[in-house]
Amino acid sequence: MDLIKVESKWQKIWADTGLYKFHRDRVDKKWYVLEMFSYPSGAKLHAGHWYNYGPSDTYARFKRMQGYEVFQPMGFDAFGLPAENYAIKTGIHPQDSTMKNIATMEEQLKKIGATYDWDYELYTCVPEYYKWTQWLFLQLYKKGLAYRKEAPVNWCPSCNTVLANEQVVQGECERCGTTVIRKNLTQWFFKITEYAEELLRDLDKLDWPEKTKLMQKNWIGKSYGGEIEFAIKGREETFRVFTTRADTAFGVTYVVLAPENPLVDVITTPEQKAAVEEYKLNASKVTEIDRLASTREKTGVMTGAYAINPVNGREVPILVADYVLASYGTGAVMGVAAHDERDYVFAQKLGLPIERVVKSADGGSDDLPYCDYGVMINSGEFDGMTSEEGKIAVIRKLEKEGKGALKTNYRLRDWLVSRQRYWGAPIPMIHCEHCGVVPVPEKDLPVRLPYNVDFTPDGVSPLAKCEEFMNVTCPVCGRPARRDPDTLDTFVCSSWYYLRYPDNRNSEKAFDTEWINKMLPVDKYIGGAEHACMHLLYARFFTKALRDMGYLNFDEPFLSLVHQGTILGSDGFKMSKSRGNVVSPDDSISKYGADAFRVYLMFGFSYVEGGPWNDNGLDSISRFFDRVERLVTKCYGMNFGDAPMQKAEKELNYVRNNTIKSVSADLETFSFNTALARVMEYVNAIYAYDSAVSAKTSFFKDCVRDLVLLMAPFAPHFCEELWEMLGQPYSVFNQAYPVCDEKALVRDEIELAVQINSKLRARITVASTASKSEIESEALKAVEAQLNGAAPKKVIVVPGRLVNIIA
RNA sequence: GCAGCCGUGGCGAAAUUGGCAGACGCGCCGGAUUUAGGUUCCGGUGGGAAACCGUAUGGGUUCAAGUCCCUUCGGCUGCACCA
């Protein structure tokens, strides 16, 4: 069969007949299959894209044949840095290059032959879409979930923009690898921390890979502890520290404030002023990477002020040190040198006292610092208590005195969403000298991104230099005002696109609530694991926030998630242009066809693992197709009649139904490789039957027919053609997927292994209805000689599997 | 450093979740068809002459361990002074 011809033939017919149009009236049977949308890069689709889209499409077709109304849309995450950087280099406007890339990618995606309904396509970079991204921003603002604050933020000096916490990897910019520095800037944040608890709790509801859930759990980082309030000697002010080890409170020998803590300026004594100022300045210059280095020397200076420990009234010095983070807890910690690794190192360095207040439990290490839990000592009324009890008891006591409280903290930070870049959705806010920060009225949306802008990076938002954009009338007072010059992080655009797909043409609303509540949540979401703590977390946050605003009635956007593995270059490294190991599917496809290529990807790799590319097996897929096709041609001109099933037919029928059952189960779990192995076994069984039985009945044709149906989701063009060759009505994808006949799986006889002392010694064949005692006596008979007449100590019968005789 | 995952033939990988390790395919070997090569079809293929031994290593639990528990080694991923 000329697969290349066949593929374009059916792609045309599928398009002409609208085979993959989504039928809204069947929404009660909907099955929303979503692949993470792509960034429209200039490069062609590579093997990795096919690895994402091909198998997902197989899954979608399987669901369709099971009777679901599959909704499988496709679109483009079209705002973002690469287009802008490309523009800076070449002068080609991001909008022009992006739209061109999209057109190219659409064409290539169509070659995969997937069941996308292109009527629901979307691009995030067009006003019809980003109008609603802006609308969403305004809703979050109204709800108090979008706010502006000055804070130390991550700044990438190469991309000339701030970054979210999640976009800093090992102290480097996720995009370009430049070392990130810290800056104090006023920026827009989304209050994702408000949902920390629910984001954590609802992970239990999700059918997601455990490792992904664990990553989110760790990222959210819930920690139980308490706050302890310290008074400042000779002053009115007090401050609190957060600790998870209140049981060590009697061992506090100093306290430390973060350099950014506003209290520092208040309490520093005149004698220490200069030293503290210098320290603060140096701390602000430290790059993220230096700050993260574990070998980094701990530093700090005295403020000259003293705090009073509420548990024992002791005066301890207050220091400033940058190992304390302003953004976590209270920005202040108590220093317990004897029982905390970091405090110990710090105290040694600065010559601060070390006092032990917890005795090691039996077997615990007795070297400083004693970080393990033990029994409290030198702790007044708490002496003798275990750490476990004490850390609660100490806080409880302070609570009664109004000097402490049990407290839970999260490591999750609010999401910084403003970017000093051009190619993104403008933030719909206006700055008015008289009215302050004012939201753009919803009726004025979208705030259009102007085309003619100088986006040469210089650390200032490109839009700030575009006067026609910046100048605006204040919607409150009517006086001249300025627009916000920043754009939104592209993750904002991609955090709600799954809500837009089913209602992508809606010009009145972001989406229709009633409709979206029927179409969502997504039933199967497919995409890379690298999004665990970014996109996947943000999307969950948006869904929950929109639910609380009444726009949605579900809690989670993606019920079930699968990560596809990565196809590496044949050298075992990640495919990259610079390495020159990018595998283009083009050659393979023009030689073997798209179906063979995608079947090869599904068969040769474990879907969630991926692995290094090699094309050794592609020929074999081609041969396998030929083998299947020959079975179809065997059905031509045969004189089929009906006849009762004999032994051979029953055997093949068993394999057929077993295949149906296994393949269906494997497709549910994205185990494409084993599903195809079962199909191959089935083909082998049909051949065995064919050579053994000369007088065939219509049973043979039924078996071949089922084979084509079974294979159709894997090799859609090929099987559509085979279906036609079998004289069946168009389309194979309107057929029901074969359903296993459980009766056919009931065998008259089964084979069991017989073990003596767990070693295989014989095989027996027994009636499938045989009782345990019948099996036992058959087994004993089979190994009689080897037992030498000795009575077995014990016999274990595992029905359907084996018999183990303990001699 | 902390957390998690992984380690199975010459190769890609399976193993119904504690029950006959290596399914399926590649490669290789042999046979049939063919003038020959290729194609196709059939058979073999973890090691060992065998008893037996085999799932990175050493121990443990169990009638039974690739699977569960502990040790060591190697690889991957995430987090990284979060008090």
Side-chain angles (χ1 to χ4, degrees), chain A residues 556-583:
Chain A
E556 289 286 340
F558 318 123
L559 294 179
S560 180
L561 171 73
V562 179
H563 295 309
Q564 85 279 26
T566 314
I567 298 296
L568 307 169
S570 45
D571 54 5
F573 292 99
K574 209 168 182 161
M575 283 189 212
S576 75
K577 251 194 263 176
S578 55
R579 243 180 229 284
N581 62 352
V582 176
V583 177

Side-chain angles (χ1 to χ4, degrees), chain A residues 82 88 116 165 168 216 358 368 415 722 789:
Chain A
I88 291 161
Y116 305 126
N165 243 18
V168 180
Q216 285 207 356
V358 173
L368 271 169
W415 174 17
L722 294 179

Side-chain angles (χ1 to χ4, degrees), chain A residues 793-804:
Chain A
K793 288 194 194 117
K794 195 175 173 186
V795 179
I796 294 147
V797 178
V798 184
R801 298 202 192 284
L802 53 74
V803 180
N804 193 4

Side-chain angles (χ1 to χ4, degrees), chain A residues 66-80:
Chain A
Q66 278 193 329
Y68 291 98
E69 184 65 25
V70 169
F71 182 64
Q72 191 188 22
M74 181 48 69
F76 295 93
D77 187 15
F79 270 139

Side-chain angles (χ1 to χ4, degrees), chain A residues 327-370:
Chain A
S327 50
Y328 182 76
T330 59
V333 305
M334 60 186 206
V336 186
H339 301 289
D340 181 277
E341 179 103 44
R342 296 149 303 182
D343 294 350
Y344 176 69
V345 173
F346 184 71
Q348 286 230 305
K349 179 91 189 299
L350 278 89
L352 294 158
I354 298 168
E355 266 184 50
R356 186 169 189 180
V357 291
V358 173
K359 196 168 64 181
S360 299
D362 293 341
S365 152
D366 227 18
D367 299 324
L368 271 169
Y370 324 102

Side-chain angles (χ1 to χ4, degrees), chain A residues 43-158:
Chain A
K44 285 193 157 182
L45 295 193
H46 55 72
H49 288 108
W50 280 71
Y51 195 61
N52 190 5
Y53 299 127
S56 310
D57 181 60
T58 293
Y59 173 79
R61 286 178 188 272
F62 164 65
K63 281 308 201 187
R64 176 195 171 102
M65 291 176 79
Q66 278 193 329
Y68 291 98
E69 184 65 25
V70 169
F71 182 64
Q72 191 188 22
M74 181 48 69
F76 295 93
D77 187 15
F79 270 139
L81 276 183
E84 191 168 340
N85 290 339
Y86 181 72
I88 291 161
K89 215 162 62 185
T90 64
I92 300 170
H93 195 280
Q95 182 170 320
D96 302 337
S97 63
T98 299
M99 295 316 278
K100 184 166 163 268
N101 290 344
I102 286 175
T104 320
M105 264 179 101
E106 280 169 359
E107 281 318 301
Q108 294 183 67
L109 279 166
K110 283 174 184 165
K111 293 241 163 64
I112 296 179
T115 56
Y116 305 126
D117 184 343
W118 291 96
D119 289 351
Y120 290 88
E121 190 180 14
L122 62 78
Y123 317 143
T124 58
C125 67
V126 295
E128 292 76 15
Y129 183 89
Y130 70 67
K131 169 178 180 176
W132 302 113
T133 304
Q134 292 169 338
W135 172 85
L136 227 140
F137 182 98
L138 294 179
Q139 306 316 306
L140 292 169
Y141 180 75
K142 268 199 273 186
K143 187 87 177 146
L145 292 171
Y147 68 97
R148 229 161 89 95
K149 72 166 178 196
E150 182 179 325
V153 297
N154 307 302
W155 175 267
C156 172
S158 165

Side-chain angles (χ1 to χ4, degrees), chain A residues 545-556:
Chain A
L546 284 164
R547 175 205 59 198
D548 289 345
M549 296 173 204
Y551 291 111
L552 304 172
N553 71 355
F554 49 93
D555 301 321
E556 289 286 340

Side-chain angles (χ1 to χ4, degrees), chain A residues 4 585-593:
Chain A
I4 312 296
D586 292 1
D587 293 346
S588 306
I589 290 161
S590 54
K591 186 169 171 199
Y592 300 99

